[in-house]
Amino acid sequence: MLILMEPAATRDQVGEVLALLEAAGIRSQVNETPGALSIVAPNASKALKPDRIEPMAGVRRVVPITSPYKLASADAAAGRTVVDVRGVRIGGPELALVGGPCGVESREQLFTVARYVAEAGVKLLRAGAFKPRTSPYAFQGLGLEGLRLLEEARAEFDLGIVTEATEVETFDDVERSADMVQIGARNMQNFALLRRAGRCEKPVLLKRGPSATLEEWLYAAEYVLGEGNRNLVLCERGIRTWSDHARNTLDVSVVPAAKVLTHLPVMVDPSHATGRRDLVIPCGLAGVAAGADGLLVETHCNPEKALSDGPQALLPSDFIRLVERAQAVHRALQAPSLTGLWM
Amino acid sequence: MLILMEPAATRDQVGEVLALLEAAGIRSQVNETPGALSIVAPNASKALKPDRIEPMAGVRRVVPITSPYKLASADAAAGRTVVDVRGVRIGGPELALVGGPCGVESREQLFTVARYVAEAGVKLLRAGAFKPRTSPYAFQGLGLEGLRLLEEARAEFDLGIVTEATEVETFDDVERSADMVQIGARNMQNFALLRRAGRCEKPVLLKRGPSATLEEWLYAAEYVLGEGNRNLVLCERGIRTWSDHARNTLDVSVVPAAKVLTHLPVMVDPSHATGRRDLVIPCGLAGVAAGADGLLVETHCNPEKALSDGPQALLPSDFIRLVERAQAVHRALQAPSLTGLWM
Amino acid sequence: MLILMEPAATRDQVGEVLALLEAAGIRSQVNETPGALSIVAPNASKALKPDRIEPMAGVRRVVPITSPYKLASADAAAGRTVVDVRGVRIGGPELALVGGPCGVESREQLFTVARYVAEAGVKLLRAGAFKPRTSPYAFQGLGLEGLRLLEEARAEFDLGIVTEATEVETFDDVERSADMVQIGARNMQNFALLRRAGRCEKPVLLKRGPSATLEEWLYAAEYVLGEGNRNLVLCERGIRTWSDHARNTLDVSVVPAAKVLTHLPVMVDPSHATGRRDLVIPCGLAGVAAGADGLLVETHCNPEKALSDGPQALLPSDFIRLVERAQAVHRALQAPSLTGLWM
Amino acid sequence: MLILMEPAATRDQVGEVLALLEAAGIRSQVNETPGALSIVAPNASKALKPDRIEPMAGVRRVVPITSPYKLASADAAAGRTVVDVRGVRIGGPELALVGGPCGVESREQLFTVARYVAEAGVKLLRAGAFKPRTSPYAFQGLGLEGLRLLEEARAEFDLGIVTEATEVETFDDVERSADMVQIGARNMQNFALLRRAGRCEKPVLLKRGPSATLEEWLYAAEYVLGEGNRNLVLCERGIRTWSDHARNTLDVSVVPAAKVLTHLPVMVDPSHATGRRDLVIPCGLAGVAAGADGLLVETHCNPEKALSDGPQALLPSDFIRLVERAQAVHRALQAPSLTGLWM
């Protein structure tokens, strides 16, 4: 159930509701969005009837959460969630952009990319220190050394760091160095890792699995949210289909479809979604036009020599083109002259 | 091979090249795009060496067509094809919009929709008189009566008519009434129908099959082009995947991927691609942002009572919202302030 | 509705029921399976209540057909349909085998294959005279000349002929020459062709489309059955998925799933399902083990030189191995020592 | 590279080869199959030329391993691998059968199922103590208590235990209790877990991921083999496609396709592959006919009350029917009367 509190509810009133839930053995979470405070208690209705809570002081209304994923459900929040990553607000009116190479390869490579990413006005840098790779013989990332280089890049270029955690064992290290921890597509149903991400102090970016339905993705989000981490962003990165002109099929309709079901922000990664440099810009723009809250894009100063995913990395000049055009599309759709709302 | 003629080549010089090809038993087609004239002769190089043609008067250069679809290949034209449908130029700088109900149901229904389509500034009306339906017990369209109503709507609202031909037997009737003949997704590899469309006097809209690769789609186009009809537009309408939040998966990356391989215009049908009214607008915008030359959209004055595809038809007010926003995205991406080109 | 007649019902009694239906404007069909006679009247219950028919002489019972495909539904027949193709009974206790090359290429090629097919004890020969091809530049079949060669092969080797009709225009010719007319996968929703097949005097083999659901396949069958042709056999030939070790994915579970829903026989084509010679035998055996009523297999005396589908054609010796093993699996599953039935 | 030793090679000779490889910084593994001893050294050819090794005493031949997965490759073994699980040899001439409930729910449930599994002549019991579940609110298994019950069932019914490890954290416990450790489909690319499984003392069953290609599956196997555990069995369990009559699509052709590429045994799980009780038997038989080395089947004494996957669990009587028929098909295909070999 979702317990909506009065705007004027006091901390004590909130505390009394929480105490009642706790006494009934019910886990709950407090939710704050601008101007609204609510308490979510998944699967609580069996143990406690709404009419036991509704008369309490400070409570405005108790509403059931009908979807099977409780905390991720759009019903479970009074508004849309905005996730703050080192000052970049994902899910708000601004488009959030993240750029960088697939993996950290060297200080020189990372700094070269970080410099033009920052110069393009982008505030978040992505790069993997731990790389999950299909083959055990492929480059697996620089590990701790990669994390150190990312920290240096943050200091040097004033960029927030988005990097992937691939296993529980090394999660502490990633959490310490990152401003946002990515859970990769192949780990979308690695439940131990999801639970660990749910106990992470940093925001989490949850990529959709290559064959995950929207419902399974939201259940995966529920694993993270259930451990207490509310700073969660979803990211579509292409799905596996038989369509063979691109590495994956960007499922662009999942962006608006997700936004109907969840209060979480949704980003798009056009690089993994296509695997082809010449499709990244149009597909990134498609994501923005479909309502994505931001883009996660691979770019490399020297894609031919990249140790991983070179063919999908944008050249510096193309990265700038994408940033300009993505902002142009985003602005065009927020023009006050447009009639009404479409979502 | 593609024979590029000099801009100043005379009719006689063109005629001599054609005569030589004919004498060698080679089929060929003349191609005119603004400022450029060329002759395409698929699979000709075995019968006639380029150095037999290159020295001829008026010939600038002979280039091989390396892709397996010869006439559809981007190599086979000096520029991008623009298809004119009753004054609407598909493939040019303007965005081409087509709106209307799934099927013609009655004069009242058709005229109501046609009126607000025209009022929204859209110049092309779509509606099926012959409906291919999964079940033999479903509404199959009004047939010839539907075609007559479409002709009346054209006269009344000054709209070009886009309607589907489902079989060779009734193709003549459709060709006579339509301004553009649609070949539906399920008929993308109905080769007899494709050949008939290739002998059609009207432009043809070729939908992508629900499980067709880009290559198969271009081969299907080749069947049409091979019979002489050069006025062909491709239309992505969603593919069949396991992703279950929408009826089909809009494969938005096929738009730029097709434009790399072919000179033909590419449109997007966000209605069949999603099957859900609330996803049509964002997916239509995604198509435009990805570079589509136009949109084909279902709209109905009373979707709950539509005889087919009601759940995906836009309400009148939403149709207008889509038109406004699609134009806004299209304009934003053509702003001269944007750096360079991305495709 | 399905009207089950008494075993002792007379022709007159059947006639009276049919007359009543006709008077009410209801189309119907008479169904005879060994020892059972019934009348199927799809979508009749609105026009005529069962209690109007049940008291009639000779009528045992009236049962509703609840599935949306009426004539194809398992509810619509008192038993399983057996289709007789020149003495080979498809759907009965024997396994039905069909072998032959993809296309008729020459008398020598056809006769060489036909000879060893016949010597392997197989009674039905498959080969296409009209070939639907992805590319307009690929071998399209010998056409009428191919049909003549098939007729000669029938006379010479005492084999029934299974060959494809690709369009309404040439259907008469195919119908005249064939013992069974195949509708290919790409034409599964070519409704004009399905209707023509429904008016065909010969049995029809309906391949599943590469992206057709089971339900859509049964609706396609309904188009054929609805025109009066009850001699219909379904054939699974692999579906299009992202799994890339084979040309298609043999959806072997559709065999038992179809048999739950329909009374029609179901065959398997392991050649198109895999596209790889080394997978044809194991996949053919898988089909038999899953309950298929027969196999349709490509074999060629000289696969390297085949004009189409060479890589999937079995060599003569492998064809014999498949026949032996398919029979062995089929017999093993019919052993009386096995406990009970599983379907 | 693969270093094939002479049958008469001595331990010392093997030791010298290993010492040379070690000195060159090359990891290697010794491989023993009946009558053949070999050494696999993945990616060794850059560091050490074959002609440095071939002249050594006891070495018969050095052959390159051309596939990208080195240890899993069929090239990397002199014969097929046979994995022994508590006396059941998977990959040998006998069909290996594993039966049991989805999850351990209680001693009574587990013992009831174990009893009839054992009575059917099946020697291996499957049941999950740790259950990876899509929803965090679904039954997650009994954990350590489940492992204890499995140990009791082994003692009581003389059955080997196959059970899943879902995370590195609890792997030790599972390893201690199990006779074979299963890596589930969703963890097929959980590389930390794969590496841990590679250091496991017990044989490992590696399920194919729901959207994994054959190549990715073999790379996942390579992660396990690379840590030294050679007792690995692959298991196909259905893939995710748009085909909607079953929960997944059994990709039966992957069985023979895998056997071309790898020396590892391949099993089939028809329960997860279909999700429908009425399809489990025919699909299990299809797997056997296609050459699977065994079946992994869910069965439950009371499927309606199962805490997970009830709809796909076979009733006791059906489980026995499957065992009988699977053996019948397996025997039929090994009959000495059959001509030659097909694989």
Side-chain angles (χ1 to χ4, degrees):
Chain A
M1 64 177 65
L2 176 69
I3 304 166
L4 297 166
M5 303 300 292
E6 296 289 353
T10 64
R11 290 279 146 200
D12 278 1
Q13 289 169 340
V14 173
E16 276 169 43
V17 175
L18 294 175
L20 176 72
L21 292 168
E22 200 184 342
I26 296 169
R27 294 181 68 178
S28 65
Q29 293 189 8
V30 177
N31 238 348
E32 282 200 75
T33 51
L37 193 142
S38 59
I39 299 167
V40 196
N43 303 315
S45 13
K46 278 189 189 161
L48 206 62
K49 293 287 158 224
D51 54 18
R52 178 78 185 75
I53 301 167
E54 242 164 4
M56 293 179 75
V59 171
R60 197 172 68 200
R61 205 152 56 94
V62 177
V63 290
I65 305 175
T66 52
S67 81
Y69 24 86
K70 301 297 174 184
L71 301 166
S73 168
D75 298 349
R80 298 207 67 80
T81 289
V82 177
V83 174
D84 187 304
V85 181
R86 208 170 178 265
V88 176
R89 293 170 57 78
I90 307 177
E94 303 287 311
L95 191 66
L97 297 172
V98 187
C102 177
V104 183
E105 298 171 8
S106 68
R107 177 182 282 107
E108 193 195 338
Q109 169 249 18
L110 186 64
F111 276 38
T112 306
V113 177
R115 178 167 292 116
Y116 70 73
V117 164
E119 285 173 2
V122 170
K123 304 286 184 208
L124 299 173
L125 177 70
R126 58 143 294 150
F130 295 93
K131 303 294 311 166
R133 300 302 298 276
T134 299
S135 164
Y137 307 121
F139 173 61
Q140 308 272 322
L142 296 184
L144 297 180
E145 169 66 10
L147 293 178
R148 262 196 305 277
L149 292 172
L150 286 168
E151 291 177 8
E152 289 183 33
R154 171 170 47 210
E156 181 78 13
F157 301 102
D158 191 24
L159 289 164
I161 300 300
V162 181
T163 195
E164 180 167 354
T166 58
E167 49 185 25
V168 172
E169 290 69 17
T170 50
F171 200 103
D172 286 358
D173 297 309
V174 175
E175 179 175 7
R176 207 171 300 121
S177 303
D179 295 296
M180 179 177 225
V181 177
Q182 176 181 315
I183 303 295
R186 282 178 284 208
N187 279 319
M188 195 203 83
Q189 291 193 317
N190 181 337
F191 300 118
L193 192 67
L194 293 178
R195 287 206 169 96
R196 177 61 186 82
R199 295 187 298 272
C200 175
E201 299 287 316
K202 303 285 174 61
V204 169
L205 183 78
L206 178 62
K207 290 230 178 156
R208 181 184 181 190
S211 67
T213 63
L214 172 52
E215 187 177 62
E216 291 166 344
W217 195 15
L218 295 178
Y219 273 127
E222 193 80 6
Y223 271 95
V224 178
L225 298 171
E227 300 291 320
N229 191 345
R230 298 277 301 168
N231 292 307
L232 182 59
V233 175
L234 303 175
C235 184
E236 156 70 16
R237 44 73 76 200
I239 59 173
R240 180 157 278 180
T241 76
W242 47 264
S243 188
D244 60 1
H245 63 271
R247 184 169 159 190
N248 289 295
T249 297
L250 173 61
D251 186 7
V252 77
S253 76
V254 88
V255 175
K259 291 193 144 194
V260 169
L261 296 180
T262 183
H263 55 85
L264 299 170
V266 184
M267 293 181 73
V268 163
D269 169 354
S271 306
H272 286 87
T274 60
R276 276 176 58 176
R277 189 171 307 132
D278 61 345
L279 304 183
V280 170
I281 295 182
C283 288
L285 299 180
V288 173
D293 295 298
L295 298 180
L296 185 77
V297 180
E298 286 190 6
T299 176
H300 197 287
C301 44
N302 200 348
E304 296 72 36
K305 299 209 172 155
L307 296 180
S308 56
D309 283 349
Q312 74 193 33
L314 287 188
L315 296 165
S317 55
D318 283 328
F319 181 71
I320 292 163
R321 283 192 182 87
L322 172 55
V323 170
E324 277 184 5
R325 280 161 177 73
Q327 298 287 15
V329 169
H330 186 66
R331 273 193 311 271
L333 291 172
Q334 300 202 317
S337 62
L338 294 174
T339 322
L341 289 169
W342 53 268
M343 273 195 64
Chain B
M1 62 177 65
L2 176 70
I3 304 166
L4 297 166
M5 302 301 291
E6 296 288 354
T10 64
R11 290 279 146 201
D12 279 358
Q13 290 169 339
V14 173
E16 275 168 43
V17 176
L18 294 175
L20 176 71
L21 293 169
E22 202 184 341
I26 296 169
R27 295 181 67 180
S28 64
Q29 294 189 8
V30 176
N31 238 347
E32 282 199 75
T33 52
L37 194 143
S38 59
I39 300 168
V40 196
N43 304 315
S45 13
K46 279 189 189 161
L48 206 60
K49 294 287 159 224
D51 53 17
R52 178 80 185 74
I53 302 167
E54 245 167 359
M56 294 179 76
V59 171
R60 196 172 67 201
R61 204 151 56 92
V62 177
V63 291
I65 305 175
T66 52
S67 81
Y69 24 87
K70 302 295 175 185
L71 301 166
S73 168
D75 300 347
R80 299 206 67 79
T81 290
V82 177
V83 174
D84 187 303
V85 181
R86 210 173 177 265
V88 176
R89 293 170 58 79
I90 306 178
E94 302 287 312
L95 191 66
L97 297 171
V98 186
C102 178
V104 182
E105 298 171 9
S106 68
R107 177 181 283 107
E108 193 195 338
Q109 169 249 16
L110 185 65
F111 277 37
T112 307
V113 176
R115 179 168 291 116
Y116 69 73
V117 164
E119 286 174 0
V122 170
K123 304 286 184 209
L124 298 174
L125 177 70
R126 57 143 293 150
F130 295 92
K131 303 293 310 165
R133 299 304 298 277
T134 299
S135 164
Y137 307 120
F139 172 62
Q140 309 272 321
L142 296 184
L144 297 179
E145 168 66 10
L147 293 178
R148 262 197 305 278
L149 292 173
L150 285 168
E151 291 177 9
E152 289 184 32
R154 172 171 45 210
E156 180 79 14
F157 301 102
D158 191 24
L159 289 164
I161 299 300
V162 181
T163 195
E164 181 167 353
T166 57
E167 49 186 25
V168 172
E169 289 70 16
T170 51
F171 199 104
D172 286 358
D173 297 308
V174 175
E175 179 175 8
R176 206 171 301 120
S177 303
D179 297 294
M180 179 177 226
V181 177
Q182 176 180 314
I183 302 295
R186 282 179 285 210
N187 279 319
M188 195 203 84
Q189 291 192 318
N190 182 334
F191 300 117
L193 193 65
L194 294 178
R195 287 207 169 96
R196 177 62 187 82
R199 295 187 298 272
C200 176
E201 299 287 316
K202 303 285 174 65
V204 168
L205 183 78
L206 178 62
K207 292 227 179 163
R208 181 182 180 192
S211 65
T213 62
L214 172 52
E215 188 177 62
E216 291 167 342
W217 196 15
L218 294 178
Y219 273 126
E222 193 79 6
Y223 272 95
V224 178
L225 297 171
E227 300 292 319
N229 190 346
R230 300 276 302 167
N231 292 307
L232 182 58
V233 175
L234 303 174
C235 184
E236 155 71 16
R237 44 73 77 199
I239 58 172
R240 179 157 278 180
T241 76
W242 48 262
S243 188
D244 60 1
H245 63 271
R247 184 169 159 190
N248 289 296
T249 297
L250 173 62
D251 186 7
V252 78
S253 75
V254 89
V255 175
K259 291 192 144 194
V260 169
L261 296 180
T262 183
H263 55 86
L264 298 170
V266 184
M267 294 181 73
V268 163
D269 169 352
S271 305
H272 286 88
T274 60
R276 276 176 57 176
R277 189 172 307 133
D278 60 346
L279 304 182
V280 171
I281 295 182
C283 288
L285 300 180
V288 174
D293 295 298
L295 299 179
L296 184 77
V297 180
E298 286 190 7
T299 176
H300 197 285
C301 45
N302 199 348
E304 296 72 36
K305 300 208 172 154
L307 295 180
S308 56
D309 283 347
Q312 75 194 32
L314 286 188
L315 296 165
S317 55
D318 283 328
F319 180 72
I320 291 163
R321 282 192 182 87
L322 171 55
V323 170
E324 277 186 5
R325 280 159 176 75
Q327 298 287 15
V329 169
H330 185 67
R331 272 193 311 270
L333 290 172
Q334 299 202 316
S337 62
L338 293 175
T339 322
L341 289 169
W342 54 268
M343 273 196 63
Chain C
M1 65 177 64
L2 176 69
I3 305 165
L4 297 165
M5 304 300 292
E6 296 288 354
T10 64
R11 290 280 146 198
D12 278 1
Q13 289 169 341
V14 172
E16 277 169 40
V17 175
L18 293 175
L20 177 71
L21 292 169
E22 202 184 339
I26 297 169
R27 294 181 67 179
S28 64
Q29 293 189 7
V30 177
N31 237 348
E32 281 199 75
T33 52
L37 194 143
S38 59
I39 299 166
V40 196
N43 304 314
S45 12
K46 279 189 188 161
L48 205 61
K49 293 286 158 225
D51 55 16
R52 178 77 185 75
I53 300 166
E54 244 165 2
M56 294 179 76
V59 171
R60 196 171 70 201
R61 206 151 55 93
V62 177
V63 291
I65 305 176
T66 53
S67 80
Y69 23 87
K70 300 297 174 184
L71 301 166
S73 168
D75 299 350
R80 298 206 69 79
T81 289
V82 177
V83 174
D84 187 303
V85 181
R86 208 171 178 266
V88 176
R89 293 170 57 79
I90 307 178
E94 303 287 313
L95 191 66
L97 297 171
V98 186
C102 177
V104 182
E105 298 172 8
S106 69
R107 177 182 282 108
E108 193 194 340
Q109 169 248 18
L110 185 64
F111 276 38
T112 307
V113 177
R115 178 168 291 115
Y116 69 74
V117 165
E119 285 173 1
V122 170
K123 304 286 183 210
L124 299 173
L125 177 70
R126 57 142 294 150
F130 295 93
K131 303 294 310 166
R133 299 304 297 277
T134 299
S135 164
Y137 307 120
F139 173 61
Q140 310 271 323
L142 296 184
L144 297 180
E145 168 66 9
L147 293 178
R148 263 197 304 277
L149 292 173
L150 286 168
E151 291 177 9
E152 289 183 33
R154 172 171 46 210
E156 180 78 13
F157 301 102
D158 191 24
L159 289 164
I161 300 300
V162 181
T163 195
E164 181 167 353
T166 58
E167 49 185 25
V168 172
E169 290 69 17
T170 50
F171 200 104
D172 287 357
D173 297 308
V174 176
E175 179 175 9
R176 207 172 300 120
S177 302
D179 297 294
M180 179 176 225
V181 176
Q182 177 181 314
I183 303 297
R186 281 178 285 209
N187 279 318
M188 196 203 83
Q189 291 193 319
N190 181 337
F191 301 119
L193 193 65
L194 293 178
R195 288 206 169 95
R196 177 61 186 82
R199 295 188 298 272
C200 175
E201 299 287 316
K202 302 286 173 63
V204 169
L205 183 79
L206 178 63
K207 291 231 179 157
R208 181 184 181 190
S211 66
T213 62
L214 172 51
E215 188 177 61
E216 290 166 343
W217 195 15
L218 295 178
Y219 273 126
E222 194 79 6
Y223 271 95
V224 178
L225 297 172
E227 300 292 320
N229 190 346
R230 299 277 301 167
N231 293 307
L232 182 58
V233 174
L234 304 174
C235 184
E236 156 70 16
R237 46 73 76 199
I239 59 173
R240 179 156 279 180
T241 75
W242 48 263
S243 188
D244 59 1
H245 64 270
R247 184 170 159 190
N248 289 296
T249 297
L250 172 62
D251 186 7
V252 77
S253 76
V254 88
V255 175
K259 292 191 142 195
V260 170
L261 297 180
T262 183
H263 56 87
L264 297 169
V266 184
M267 293 182 74
V268 163
D269 169 353
S271 305
H272 286 88
T274 61
R276 277 176 55 176
R277 189 172 307 133
D278 60 345
L279 303 182
V280 170
I281 296 183
C283 288
L285 300 180
V288 173
D293 294 299
L295 299 179
L296 185 77
V297 180
E298 286 190 5
T299 177
H300 197 286
C301 44
N302 199 349
E304 296 72 36
K305 300 208 172 154
L307 296 180
S308 56
D309 282 349
Q312 74 195 32
L314 287 187
L315 296 166
S317 55
D318 283 329
F319 181 71
I320 292 164
R321 283 192 182 89
L322 172 55
V323 170
E324 277 184 6
R325 280 161 177 75
Q327 298 287 14
V329 168
H330 186 67
R331 274 194 309 271
L333 290 173
Q334 299 203 316
S337 62
L338 293 174
T339 322
L341 289 170
W342 54 267
M343 274 196 63
Chain D
M1 62 177 66
L2 176 70
I3 304 166
L4 296 166
M5 304 300 293
E6 296 288 354
T10 64
R11 289 279 146 200
D12 278 359
Q13 289 170 340
V14 172
E16 276 169 42
V17 175
L18 294 175
L20 176 72
L21 293 169
E22 203 183 339
I26 297 169
R27 293 182 68 180
S28 64
Q29 293 189 10
V30 177
N31 238 347
E32 283 200 75
T33 52
L37 193 141
S38 59
I39 299 167
V40 195
N43 303 315
S45 12
K46 278 188 189 164
L48 206 62
K49 294 286 161 224
D51 54 16
R52 180 75 185 77
I53 302 167
E54 242 165 2
M56 294 179 76
V59 171
R60 197 171 68 199
R61 205 151 56 92
V62 177
V63 291
I65 305 176
T66 52
S67 81
Y69 25 86
K70 302 295 175 184
L71 302 166
S73 168
D75 299 348
R80 299 205 67 80
T81 290
V82 177
V83 174
D84 187 304
V85 181
R86 210 173 177 263
V88 176
R89 292 171 57 79
I90 307 179
E94 304 286 313
L95 191 67
L97 298 171
V98 186
C102 178
V104 182
E105 297 171 9
S106 68
R107 177 182 281 108
E108 194 194 338
Q109 170 249 18
L110 185 65
F111 276 38
T112 307
V113 176
R115 178 169 290 115
Y116 71 73
V117 164
E119 285 174 2
V122 170
K123 303 288 184 208
L124 298 174
L125 178 69
R126 58 142 294 149
F130 295 92
K131 303 293 311 165
R133 300 304 297 277
T134 298
S135 164
Y137 307 121
F139 173 62
Q140 309 272 322
L142 295 184
L144 298 180
E145 169 65 10
L147 293 178
R148 264 197 304 278
L149 291 173
L150 286 168
E151 291 176 9
E152 289 184 33
R154 171 169 48 209
E156 180 78 14
F157 300 102
D158 191 24
L159 288 165
I161 300 300
V162 181
T163 195
E164 181 167 352
T166 58
E167 48 186 25
V168 173
E169 290 69 17
T170 50
F171 199 104
D172 287 358
D173 297 309
V174 175
E175 180 174 8
R176 207 172 299 120
S177 301
D179 296 296
M180 179 176 225
V181 176
Q182 177 181 313
I183 303 296
R186 282 179 283 208
N187 279 319
M188 195 204 83
Q189 291 193 320
N190 182 335
F191 300 118
L193 193 66
L194 293 178
R195 287 206 169 96
R196 178 61 187 83
R199 295 188 297 273
C200 174
E201 299 286 316
K202 302 285 174 62
V204 168
L205 183 79
L206 178 62
K207 292 230 179 157
R208 180 182 180 192
S211 67
T213 62
L214 172 51
E215 188 177 63
E216 290 167 344
W217 196 15
L218 294 179
Y219 273 126
E222 193 79 6
Y223 271 95
V224 178
L225 297 171
E227 300 292 320
N229 190 346
R230 299 277 302 168
N231 292 307
L232 182 59
V233 174
L234 303 174
C235 183
E236 156 71 16
R237 45 73 78 198
I239 59 173
R240 179 158 279 180
T241 75
W242 47 264
S243 187
D244 61 0
H245 63 271
R247 184 170 158 189
N248 289 295
T249 297
L250 173 62
D251 186 7
V252 77
S253 76
V254 88
V255 174
K259 291 192 144 195
V260 169
L261 296 181
T262 184
H263 56 85
L264 298 170
V266 184
M267 294 181 73
V268 163
D269 169 353
S271 305
H272 286 88
T274 60
R276 277 176 57 176
R277 189 172 306 133
D278 60 346
L279 303 182
V280 171
I281 296 183
C283 288
L285 300 180
V288 173
D293 295 298
L295 298 179
L296 185 77
V297 180
E298 286 190 7
T299 176
H300 197 286
C301 44
N302 199 349
E304 296 73 35
K305 299 206 172 158
L307 296 181
S308 56
D309 283 349
Q312 74 194 34
L314 287 188
L315 296 166
S317 55
D318 283 327
F319 181 72
I320 292 163
R321 281 192 183 89
L322 172 54
V323 170
E324 277 185 5
R325 279 161 178 73
Q327 298 287 14
V329 169
H330 185 66
R331 272 193 311 270
L333 290 173
Q334 300 203 314
S337 62
L338 294 175
T339 321
L341 288 169
W342 53 269
M343 273 197 62

